[in-house]
């Protein structure tokens, strides 16, 4: 696997926390000469990740870039500013940035919460993918890994917006995979169950007590557990597509 991933250029969205951060570190551990484009809105946190990687694996190149995937203009700016030696060499896109805001029922959901979940989880992911697939098509190689959620398969009350964004990620990924059959471009979705990250804190708008209560008495997955799956999917032979993966902690079903 180290050989297959050697010198690959990997773009991760939402690399400042949770699953995205763990994924950057897992790529580093698996192939300590990869090239990582670490993106998110919090560049200061990404700079700390870069320093950590430099210390642990000096051969790994890291490019830190500010990127708000929810803003189409910012996505455009990001691709325009990305140096050609990174952009044109892109091998793997991990669309991980995503969030849930609130648990209100339909009729009570704030318009801005609908907007932020759709623009981040759906439109942002689509815009990033479109740009990457153009690059992949020019070289007939590349891998897109989208982080979905069990929520996209099993909608729950209070999750109408979040669950439908993740169902959209599934459908988008599956359509694209079928479009790209017979190419060397692979497309996959990884759907996590409950993972302990900053995700719950965002869902409960910063209320740590409520966020912590989600994991009380259970042993959730860690970002690392999902990162290992993402890197496994990316590290297969080029004609092996692990199209769809569901990862649960053992208490969840
Ligand atoms: P975290 O909140 O820990 O991480 C989310 C990441 O997304 C952060 O790095 C954040 O960075 C980034 N992000 C959020 N909004 C934007 C934006 N507009 N533009 C760019 N980056 C953004 O949560 P997780 O690691 O848990 O979440 C990662 C993915 O996993 C999400 O897609 C989520 O839906 C999915 N997931 C999570 C589950 C869980 O239980 N935790 C379960 C199933 C799926 P920054 O704030 O710096 O921009």
């Amino acid at each position: 696997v180290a050989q297959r991933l050697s010198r690959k250029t990997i773009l991760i969205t939402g690399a400042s926390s949770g699953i995205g951060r763990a994924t950057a570190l897992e790529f580093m551990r698996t192939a300590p000469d990869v090239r990582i484009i670490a993106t998110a809105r919090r560049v200061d946190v990404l700079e700390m990740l870069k320093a950590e990687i430099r210390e642990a694996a000096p051969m790994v190149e890291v490019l830190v870039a500010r990127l708000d995937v929810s803003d189409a203009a910012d996505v455009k700016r990001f691709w325009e500013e990305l140096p050609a030696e990174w952009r044109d060499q892109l091998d793997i896109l991990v669309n991980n940035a995503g969030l849930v805001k609130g648990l209100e029922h339909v009729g009570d959901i704030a318009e801005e919460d609908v907007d932020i979940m759709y623009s981040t989880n759906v439109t942002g992911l689509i815009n990033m993918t479109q740009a990457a697939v153009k690059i992949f098509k020019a070289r007939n190689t590349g891998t897109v890994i989208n982080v979905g959620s069990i929520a996209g398969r099993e909608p729950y009350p209070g999750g109408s917006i979040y669950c439908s964004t993740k169902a959209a990620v599934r459908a988008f990924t599956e359509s694209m995979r079928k479009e790209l059959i017979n190419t060397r471009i692979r497309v996959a979705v990884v759907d996590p169950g409950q993972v302990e990250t900053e995700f719950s804190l965002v869902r409960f708008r910063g209320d740590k007590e409520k966020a912590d209560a989600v994991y009380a008495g259970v042993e959730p997955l860690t970002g690392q557990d999902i990162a290992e799956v993402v890197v496994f999917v990316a590290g297969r032979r080029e004609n092996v597509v692990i199209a769809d993966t569901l990862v649960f902690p053992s208490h969840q079903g």
Side-chain angles (χ1 to χ4, degrees):
V1 179
Q3 213 168 358
R4 284 194 206 123
L5 292 174
S6 176
R7 300 296 297 153
K8 295 288 188 213
T9 301
I10 302 149
L11 195 168
I12 303 168
T13 66
S16 59
S17 162
I19 295 168
R21 181 181 193 282
T23 299
L25 291 167
E26 185 59 18
F27 272 114
M28 171 203 83
R29 274 188 288 270
T30 306
D33 62 351
V34 286
R35 306 171 78 223
I36 297 173
I37 307 168
T39 72
R41 293 165 303 179
R42 287 172 293 173
V43 179
D44 50 337
V45 185
L46 293 176
E47 289 294 350
M48 288 193 276
L49 173 66
K50 179 177 176 173
E52 192 179 331
I53 292 176
R54 181 175 291 164
E55 178 83 18
M59 297 287 284
V60 173
E61 289 178 59
V62 182
L63 181 80
V64 163
R66 191 189 182 281
L67 169 63
D68 181 346
V69 298
S70 72
D71 177 351
D74 200 52
V75 172
K76 193 163 177 279
R77 174 206 56 79
F78 163 79
W79 286 104
E80 282 166 3
E81 288 179 4
L82 191 62
E85 69 270 24
W86 289 87
R87 189 187 56 230
D88 299 343
Q89 298 303 314
L90 186 69
D91 294 295
I92 298 164
L93 169 66
V94 182
N95 275 316
N96 161 75
L99 81 172
V100 57
K101 266 268 158 87
L103 284 165
E104 291 78 15
H105 286 196
V106 174
D108 299 325
I109 308 165
E111 200 179 320
E112 60 264 32
D113 289 344
V114 177
D115 277 352
I116 192 67
M117 283 188 263
Y118 264 86
S119 61
T120 308
N121 302 2
V122 183
T123 319
L125 178 143
I126 292 170
N127 290 340
M128 288 303 291
T129 305
Q130 294 239 68
V133 166
K134 277 189 193 140
I135 297 163
F136 294 162
K137 281 185 172 168
R139 298 189 2 250
N140 192 25
T141 186
T143 303
V144 180
I145 301 176
N146 292 331
V147 178
S149 171
I150 178 61
R153 303 177 187 225
E154 291 179 18
Y156 48 82
S160 57
I161 305 305
Y162 179 67
C163 297
S164 60
T165 67
K166 291 298 185 178
V169 169
R170 274 188 84 64
F172 174 72
T173 310
E174 188 60 8
S175 293
M176 181 172 46
R177 191 182 64 74
K178 288 176 179 163
E179 287 171 8
L180 292 168
I181 279 171
N182 284 329
T183 72
R184 288 284 183 171
I185 302 167
R186 299 184 299 181
V187 180
V189 62
V190 174
D191 283 346
Q194 218 171 35
V195 190
E196 188 166 13
T197 62
E198 290 176 19
F199 183 79
S200 278
L201 206 56
V202 176
R203 169 168 30 177
F204 293 111
R205 305 176 205 278
D207 185 332
K208 196 166 173 339
E209 214 171 302
K210 277 192 183 160
D212 288 347
V214 173
Y215 309 118
V218 297
E219 192 183 340
L221 301 170
T222 64
Q224 174 65 20
D225 295 320
I226 305 302
E228 287 171 13
V229 175
V230 169
V231 174
F232 182 83
V233 170
R236 296 310 89 204
R237 283 193 303 120
E238 225 184 358
N239 68 329
V240 178
V241 185
I242 301 182
D244 190 358
T245 317
L246 176 60
V247 190
F248 276 137
S250 55
H251 71 267
Q252 194 179 0

